[in-house]
Amino acid sequence: MTKLLIADRDHNERTGIGWLVNSYGIPFDHVLMAGTMLDVFQIIESDMPDVICIELDMIPREAWDDFKERIRQYKQTIIVTTTEATFERAMQGIELHAYDLWIKPHSPDSIRRVLARCCKAVSHIHQGIEINGEDVSLSALSYHSIFLPHRSTADDCWLLLLQLEETEQQPKLLSFLQDYPFYNEPVLLPLSDMIVSIFTREPQHSLVSLKKMGNRLLQDWEEKFTEPLSLVIYDTNDTSLSLRQKYQYARQALDIRFFKGYRQVSVIEDKVEWQIIDPFLTPGEQREWIDMLGDADREQLKQWMYKEFLNKEEPYPETGLLRTRLTSILAQVRRFMKSHYLDQGRLEEHYHQVFETILYNPILYRIVQEFLLFLYEVLDTAKKHQEHSRTDIIEQALRYIEENYNNPHLRLEDAAAYVDRSPAYFSSLLTKRRGQSFRQLVTAVRIKEAQRLLLDTKLSIQDVAEKTGFINANYFSKIFKEKTGSTPRIFRNRKKL
């Protein structure tokens, strides 16, 4: 007599699974329900169910050890359910020696398949039958096999690892795989960042046929969903490898997506050998970067980055070393920023964003593109600062003129020295920016001040000339008439009219 206990805090979840058991005709003799841990303990003691399907989230921390002990004592087959597709939940399942881990929302086909197997295994145990010499607990194909260092009857298998760019979409991927028409139904082990699929190795399977299967699965996924997916197929003839070692090699191979991007299928039959590179720039490369940044040569910078990081071929550089090399280049850009006083504000925030991108973005070409966009922003900002700096030079010179216009010996050389520029460069820049020569600007300032003094004071023409930097009254009157169209005396008399 086989008994199933369905334990979940949600009444609808319990009822739904019970309904599926009856609808699919899974031959459990009794289906029991529990909504609290107290109910679970009581049913385990009184009815001794053979299979327990329990929600991990309903087990309080203080009851965890007690529950484990009861499971060990009564030797039930455990199926755990959760809404969290995390490594922590997977490890809890391992700790309970769970046969399977279901991620809510449940797939009806997966429930039917798993419970039917469990019911069949329990029936054979009751009849004293061993199935093909295998462990009837079916734990051979479980989280134990990929995390714990022991060999099992599941070692002669091949693996399919599937990883979404957006890991929070994994329940959707799990449901897709549970309903997918595989030739051989795999064991699916959801982890926090991927789903591990374990298949029984068949003689007709070759790496070519497995790749075709992977491409077909990827195509079927993309016809239904938009989330980018990456696949790694691992198969080997090396019988010395445990399933755990195969999983570790396959997981390492997931880093190939760093170079290929998502929507790719990688098929491997050995441990991936990464190329070891020097992650730091040589002195020559540092000088080259200083020159490229100083020249603001965008095309040369882009070609350097493309040649260095894109279109890589096997054996690929070790991804960690490549990220370090990118940060080494970023350090050169940082020095350029500091030398141009750009290490603040929006650009400083963008710098830290690029640093985070280098460390954590899973795709190399995205890192390179983000890096280049940042470089262009740095160069644009540096150019604006340089132009602003030139404007500042003119403003400083104008202030100097306004403070010293009353000096009849004021010279271009004096103003150029004040802004720390050569007379020739300063004169050229002044004419370019203001459209006037130094002498014209000085004269304009002097005439403007002379007009004010003529209108607002009773100073003599001679005194006005002296106070505004003219050598004598005659020269002052001559220049004043040239610029205003009237003599100083006529200009003053207009006020009286």
Side-chain angles (χ1 to χ4, degrees):
M1 182 176 292
T2 56
K3 299 177 184 179
L4 168 67
L5 169 59
I6 303 171
D8 198 294
R9 294 170 297 177
D10 189 333
H11 173 75
N12 292 331
E13 291 282 352
R14 299 195 302 270
T15 304
I17 295 175
W19 180 84
L20 286 172
V21 171
N22 293 326
S23 300
Y24 287 124
I26 302 173
F28 283 103
D29 296 303
H30 292 287
V31 177
L32 309 167
M33 304 283 185
T36 67
M37 279 308 298
L38 181 60
D39 294 338
V40 171
F41 287 144
Q42 289 176 347
I43 292 173
I44 289 176
E45 293 286 350
S46 61
D47 295 278
M48 291 187 293
D50 303 287
V51 179
I52 298 177
C53 177
I54 186 169
E55 179 194 15
L56 280 173
D57 309 82
M58 76 180 294
I59 308 173
R61 185 180 300 275
E62 62 271 14
W64 181 257
D65 291 336
D66 193 9
F67 180 68
K68 272 201 315 179
E69 178 58 28
R70 289 171 193 255
I71 296 303
R72 185 194 65 78
Q73 181 179 353
Y74 290 100
K75 301 185 185 301
Q76 286 101 348
T77 298
I78 301 296
I79 300 167
V80 293
T81 71
T82 182
T83 57
E84 301 177 20
T86 63
F87 180 75
E88 179 184 1
R89 293 304 189 203
M91 291 305 296
Q92 286 180 323
I94 291 175
E95 196 173 344
L96 292 174
H97 299 274
Y99 170 60
D100 203 0
L101 171 66
W102 292 346
I103 307 297
K104 297 180 182 181
H106 304 306
S107 163
D109 285 342
S110 177
I111 292 174
R112 173 191 58 78
R113 182 171 61 248
V114 173
L115 290 181
R117 285 177 176 175
C118 290
C119 187
K120 181 179 179 181
V122 170
S123 297
H124 281 91
I125 290 175
H126 289 173
Q127 299 171 27
I129 300 174
E130 185 179 4
I131 305 174
N132 297 328
E134 293 185 1
D135 181 1
V136 292
S137 70
L138 301 178
S139 62
L141 294 180
S142 70
Y143 291 98
H144 296 77
S145 304
I146 62 174
F147 287 128
L148 302 181
H150 71 281
R151 298 189 61 79
S152 74
T153 57
D155 289 340
D156 192 21
C157 296
W158 63 275
L159 301 178
L160 169 64
L161 272 56
L162 304 98
Q163 188 169 56
L164 288 168
E165 182 172 15
E166 302 294 337
T167 54
E168 61 269 18
Q169 299 294 327
Q170 280 208 160
K172 185 189 297 185
L173 175 60
L174 180 60
S175 179
F176 171 80
L177 295 174
Q178 289 169 335
D179 297 334
Y180 195 77
F182 289 107
Y183 178 77
N184 284 331
E185 215 167 89
V187 171
L188 302 175
L189 304 178
L191 302 178
S192 61
D193 60 342
M194 73 180 76
I195 295 179
V196 180
S197 306
I198 307 175
F199 294 81
T200 303
R201 200 163 184 269
E202 300 290 341
Q204 72 271 23
H205 287 160
S206 65
L207 290 178
V208 174
S209 65
L210 293 181
K211 185 168 186 178
K212 288 181 179 178
M213 183 278 295
N215 285 325
R216 185 173 62 252
L217 187 151
L218 183 59
Q219 182 179 353
D220 291 342
W221 167 264
E222 292 186 339
E223 287 178 356
K224 294 184 177 181
F225 307 105
T226 59
E227 290 80 3
L229 178 65
S230 177
L231 283 72
V232 166
I233 294 173
Y234 185 91
D235 190 22
T236 181
N237 293 318
D238 189 348
T239 57
S240 66
L241 294 178
S242 67
L243 192 59
R244 177 172 180 262
Q245 289 173 308
K246 293 179 183 178
Y247 163 71
Q248 290 174 332
Y249 292 165
R251 186 179 181 92
Q252 291 172 359
L254 277 174
D255 280 344
I256 292 175
R257 78 184 184 285
F258 186 66
F259 301 94
K260 289 186 174 182
Y262 285 95
R263 298 185 170 91
Q264 300 288 333
V265 179
S266 299
V267 181
I268 57 173
E269 55 182 330
D270 202 352
K271 181 180 179 181
V272 177
E273 297 294 340
W274 302 103
Q275 181 184 3
I276 303 302
I277 63 169
D278 183 355
F280 302 105
L281 294 179
T282 65
E285 289 172 329
Q286 291 179 16
R287 288 192 296 272
E288 187 177 3
W289 266 89
I290 291 172
D291 292 340
M292 289 190 296
L293 289 170
D295 296 338
D297 192 333
R298 296 187 180 207
E299 185 62 27
Q300 189 177 0
L301 286 165
K302 183 176 75 172
Q303 293 303 323
W304 197 100
M305 292 290 288
Y306 280 8
K307 179 181 178 181
E308 183 70 17
F309 296 108
L310 300 188
N311 302 317
K312 293 290 186 182
E313 296 181 354
E314 298 184 22
Y316 295 113
E318 200 277 326
T319 56
L321 295 177
L322 211 56
R323 292 183 192 273
T324 302
R325 186 160 178 79
L326 282 159
T327 59
S328 180
I329 297 171
L330 188 62
Q332 293 296 319
V333 180
R334 180 69 166 174
R335 281 191 278 273
F336 177 82
M337 290 172 61
K338 284 182 173 294
S339 67
H340 287 73
Y341 306 101
L342 305 178
D343 53 333
Q344 55 189 334
R346 172 68 186 89
L347 203 59
E348 178 72 3
E349 292 178 9
H350 198 173
Y351 163 79
H352 288 288
Q353 290 171 3
V354 172
F355 185 76
E356 292 289 317
T357 298
I358 291 174
L359 293 183
Y360 302 115
N361 195 293
I363 306 299
L364 179 57
Y365 73 82
R366 293 181 185 170
I367 297 175
V368 171
Q369 291 302 317
E370 185 67 25
F371 199 125
L372 285 173
L373 291 174
F374 172 64
L375 269 179
Y376 300 156
E377 185 179 1
V378 168
L379 296 177
D380 287 342
T381 307
K383 182 179 179 181
K384 290 178 182 178
H385 275 220
Q386 187 176 15
E387 292 175 352
H388 182 67
S389 174
R390 290 174 179 174
T391 302
D392 284 348
I393 290 173
I394 300 303
E395 294 299 326
Q396 292 173 33
L398 288 175
R399 286 196 297 272
Y400 179 80
I401 291 171
E402 289 171 353
E403 292 171 359
N404 295 276
Y405 67 88
N406 56 351
N407 177 6
H409 304 295
L410 180 62
R411 301 176 306 156
L412 169 70
E413 289 77 7
D414 299 328
Y418 179 76
V419 295
D420 195 25
R421 296 294 186 274
S422 69
Y425 175 79
F426 172 68
S427 177
S428 174
L429 186 62
L430 188 64
T431 302
K432 181 179 179 181
R433 295 294 177 183
R434 302 292 297 191
Q436 294 177 295
S437 68
F438 173 77
R439 183 53 54 193
Q440 288 171 328
L441 279 171
V442 171
T443 299
V445 171
R446 286 172 171 170
I447 295 297
K448 183 178 180 181
E449 177 62 12
Q451 288 175 319
R452 187 188 71 80
L453 293 174
L454 288 169
L455 296 176
D456 297 343
T457 71
K458 296 181 179 181
L459 293 173
S460 66
I461 302 300
Q462 178 68 37
D463 290 339
V464 170
E466 292 178 359
K467 286 185 175 295
T468 53
F470 289 97
I471 299 174
N472 54 58
N474 290 335
Y475 181 70
F476 166 59
S477 297
K478 177 184 176 183
I479 299 300
F480 191 92
K481 185 174 183 180
E482 287 179 3
K483 299 301 180 183
T484 66
S486 66
T487 65
R489 190 175 305 281
I490 294 174
F491 180 83
R492 168 175 277 174
N493 290 338
R494 285 177 183 172
K495 179 182 178 183
K496 300 177 182 178
L497 297 177

